[in-house]
Amino acid sequence: MDKGKKEHLTKMTKDIVISLCRESQNFTDDGTGYVNSVKAVLEGMKSYLEKQGEGLEYQNIYEKIYTFSKKIWIKEITENRLKESDRSLIEKEALYYDYCFEHIYKKGDFPL
């Protein structure tokens, strides 16, 4: 896959993820819907690239989008919902939501 095609795929996928994050916030999703949707997008992208014979080259894009998806979700929660809080609380919350994202991504539900 050439560099231009990789950049285009990365940008398109990031745009989809941003849209999913906005919709998640509009519907006061606890994150489960958002993370499961991100997973579906990433798995779809992975499947598409493997069918194109470019499966080995997808890993970098997949990891970029996964990390990006997690970052924007955590930022949305910690910065918009905890504006009055001190910085140390935001950092603790960010670690908690990082764990939540991982858990939802692997298991499909919010950790109890």
Side-chain angles (χ1 to χ4, degrees):
M1 178 183 295
D2 66 41
K3 185 178 178 181
K5 190 173 178 182
K6 283 182 182 181
E7 289 174 359
H8 179 71
L9 180 61
T10 300
K11 176 156 180 14
M12 275 189 346
T13 310
K14 281 184 175 182
D15 288 346
I16 292 168
V17 167
I18 290 167
S19 177
L20 290 170
C21 190
R22 285 186 191 137
E23 288 302 309
S24 173
Q25 296 304 317
N26 288 340
F27 292 108
T28 60
D29 175 33
D30 69 356
T32 305
Y34 168 72
V35 177
N36 286 327
S37 296
V38 165
K39 184 175 183 177
V41 168
L42 289 174
E43 293 298 318
M45 181 182 69
K46 179 180 175 181
S47 176
Y48 168 78
L49 291 171
E50 286 174 350
K51 286 178 184 174
Q52 299 299 313
E54 300 171 8
L56 295 176
E57 296 185 45
Y58 85 90
Q59 192 63 34
N60 187 32
I61 297 171
Y62 182 88
E63 290 171 5
K64 268 186 186 177
I65 301 300
Y66 178 85
T67 301
F68 175 79
S69 302
K70 187 189 314 185
K71 280 183 179 179
I72 66 168
W73 182 67
I74 292 170
K75 182 178 179 183
E76 183 70 29
I77 292 170
T78 58
E79 288 187 7
N80 291 341
R81 295 185 187 171
L82 301 173
K83 286 184 179 175
E84 299 83 34
S85 300
D86 65 48
R87 196 76 193 144
S88 65
L89 180 57
I90 290 174
E91 290 171 5
K92 288 177 187 172
E93 289 289 314
L95 289 173
Y96 170 71
Y97 287 115
D98 184 270
Y99 164 77
C100 291
F101 187 96
E102 298 280 336
H103 181 89
I104 296 168
Y105 198 89
K106 290 176 185 165
K107 300 193 178 198
D109 58 4
F110 201 86
L112 299 175

